[in-house]
Amino acid sequence: MLIKFAPSQRSTIGVEWELQLINPQTNALAECAPEVLEAVEKQRPEHGILHSEMLRNTVELVSRKRTSVAECAADMNEGLSLLQPVLDELGVELAGGGSHPFANPTHELVSEHPRYKELVDRTQYWGRQMLIFGTHVHVGVEDRAKALPIARFLTTKIGLLQALTAASPFWDGIDTGYADNRAMMFQQLPTAGIPPELPTWENLEEYTDNMMRVGAIHHFDELRWDVRPAPHFGTVEARIADSSSNLAEVRALAALVHCLVEWASRELDAGRELPTLPHWYVEENKWRAARYGVGALLIDTDDGELMPMMLALPDLVEQLLPVAEDLDCAADLALAPQLVSDGVGYVRQRLVSKRAGTLDAVVAHSRAELKAGTPIAPALFVARQWRGSEEATRSEGSGHTPESGNPDEQSGDAQPHSTVLIPRSDAIDAQPHIRDAYLRTPGSHSSDLSLQLGGEQSAAASKATEKDRPEEWGAGAA
């Protein structure tokens, strides 16, 4: 079959942001998306920004085709403004995050759409587990011949993008021990996960034709890969990220993907081959990022060199800064390493849970970040907004106390990361063969390992005086 790749202006950008509808009285999900979207449609027909999703507890904000991250962010804010009066009337609020920390996925209602009904009917148990929320970024590619090489190049950054945006450590009331449990859940669908290696567009057409002929899919959009070309838009789409709890993180992700695609396009224009990784290395990076988040040791080259995520990201941002200047997103791109230093989504969620002792506070914190538009330090939130609030009072004795899915944690042994700037060593100690492999890598240094993956102090911490040292490093000065 022939798959037409729509004409597209180079490095245009679009963002899709899935958000949870929350009952603030209980912090449970609210299954009212049809009512919300209908009310908005009556007030502002043809807005084009708000859409339904698979579950009735989800609304999706979709930007228009834009040329900059800032323009996409303005569309996101427009969508939030459209929603606000309707949500106020219904007594509902919004939250981000890759999963809801205590909702039972089998209890959530599927939207009235044949596509989703068929998905659940076909995939059964796993289809009913899709209580997950993501952020997708499209970037325009002006030449079809570039689409697959750029998409394959983006797969080499899946681990990094996933670790940066990981925000789903809890599942059905349990701390999974993963930074990004959403990634583990979504890949259970038969056509989700890492894309196959397809060198040419003709290979993609043959693959799609074969999958349709044997009844695996009905159309191309049912290939739910982590990175894929989107032929009807003329874009490459990165789909690996968890939903962010605030617009600042959405902007940082969008800037990073935007710059990666444009950088790759320039490399192709110059006649240079793009970096690639074997499929098995991409899969391993995805698992490491899902499990260890920013503490992951990622496979950086096709000959197996290892690089801590927290060292790889600043290097990559520095490499991309000239592109970011041209795309007018340098400030958003520069935010990415700062997010890691201050604490990405899953880190903040675990800190809030630890300090407040209830998963209700995790949802309340996500709601607060959505309103603020930026991350909020967990310690400040718990001390100033949670303790003594009506929500905290309601949750006492009847709230959702997190359980551990890790027997070691139940016995008081290895705990998940509680900070980023001084990450604890369990991530790397849990896999000594990875640690040893890194130390054998030419050019690696044990000091890097100590600094980034579990040393006593970070360089920043060692320079700080006791007076200057915040209560919790890695929590946005707590």
Side-chain angles (χ1 to χ4, degrees), residues 137-155:
V137 181
H138 289 260
V139 180
V141 178
E142 80 281 11
D143 183 352
R144 189 187 76 171
K146 288 183 174 182
L148 287 176
I150 291 175
R152 187 177 181 192
F153 164 68
L154 281 183
T155 66

Side-chain angles (χ1 to χ4, degrees), residues 102-403:
F102 60 80
N104 184 327
T106 62
H107 294 170
E108 303 302 317
L109 298 178
V110 177
S111 298
E112 295 291 334
H113 192 292
R115 174 188 177 189
Y116 298 130
K117 295 286 187 182
E118 181 181 353
L119 173 66
V120 173
D121 182 63
R122 181 186 179 199
T123 57
Q124 290 295 304
Y125 174 83
W126 288 116
R128 289 189 288 271
Q129 297 298 305
M130 292 298 113
L131 184 57
I132 52 178
F133 310 86
T135 306
H136 302 171
V137 181
H138 289 260
V139 180
V141 178
E142 80 281 11
D143 183 352
R144 189 187 76 171
K146 288 183 174 182
L148 287 176
I150 291 175
R152 187 177 181 192
F153 164 68
L154 281 183
T155 66
T156 70
K157 306 302 180 185
I158 278 178
L160 190 148
L161 293 169
Q162 186 175 319
L164 175 65
T165 60
S168 50
F170 300 107
W171 185 260
D172 196 9
I174 294 174
D175 187 334
T176 64
Y178 280 73
D180 185 4
N181 192 58
R182 168 186 169 272
M184 297 293 95
M185 301 305 301
F186 191 52
Q187 68 182 12
Q188 303 307 318
L189 297 181
T191 57
I194 305 296
E197 294 184 3
L198 300 168
T200 69
W201 195 261
E202 290 71 26
N203 294 142
L204 176 66
E205 291 174 330
E206 181 183 12
Y207 176 94
T208 306
D209 182 61
N210 289 342
M211 293 291 278
M212 292 177 66
R213 181 161 43 82
V214 299
I217 60 174
H218 296 305
H219 48 78
F220 182 86
D221 284 351
E222 291 180 354
L223 299 174
R224 300 177 175 91
W225 298 330
D226 296 331
V227 177
R228 69 181 183 186
H232 55 297
F233 290 134
T235 65
V236 169
E237 180 185 12
R239 302 161 45 85
I240 190 64
D242 280 5
S243 170
S244 298
S245 59
N246 60 87
L247 188 54
E249 289 183 314
V250 173
R251 292 181 66 144
L253 167 69
L256 183 53
V257 175
H258 200 191
C259 292
L260 283 168
V261 173
E262 173 59 23
W263 180 89
S265 191
R266 294 181 183 187
E267 290 294 291
L268 292 174
D269 288 345
R272 292 186 285 267
E273 291 189 6
L274 295 175
T276 61
L277 284 177
H279 192 271
W280 49 91
Y281 282 171
V282 176
E283 288 185 326
E284 177 66 12
N285 277 344
K286 178 178 179 177
W287 185 87
R288 293 184 184 190
R291 171 62 177 89
Y292 301 119
V294 297
L297 271 174
L298 300 177
I299 305 166
D300 193 49
T301 63
D302 56 7
D303 58 0
E305 289 188 11
L306 301 176
M307 175 70 76
M309 182 273 180
M310 286 184 284
L311 292 180
L313 181 61
D315 289 351
L316 179 62
V317 166
E318 183 177 359
Q319 173 189 337
L320 295 175
L321 273 178
V323 177
E325 294 286 352
D326 293 341
L327 296 176
D328 197 24
C329 62
D332 293 310
L333 180 67
L335 179 61
Q338 186 62 44
L339 292 172
V340 173
S341 296
D342 289 346
V344 298
Y346 78 92
V347 176
R348 300 196 304 276
Q349 289 186 32
R350 282 198 171 119
L351 282 169
V352 169
S353 173
K354 178 181 177 181
R355 285 180 170 273
T358 172
L359 293 176
D360 293 79
V362 175
V363 182
H365 178 254
S366 181
R367 288 163 37 211
E369 290 195 334
L370 195 288
K371 294 174 185 175
T374 61
I376 299 175
L380 289 178
F381 171 79
V382 173
R384 298 181 183 180
Q385 298 186 47
W386 177 255
R387 287 184 181 145
S389 67
E390 291 184 11
E391 288 183 75
T393 301
R394 285 196 302 268
S395 70
E396 290 178 1
S398 59
H400 300 87
T401 303
E403 301 177 23

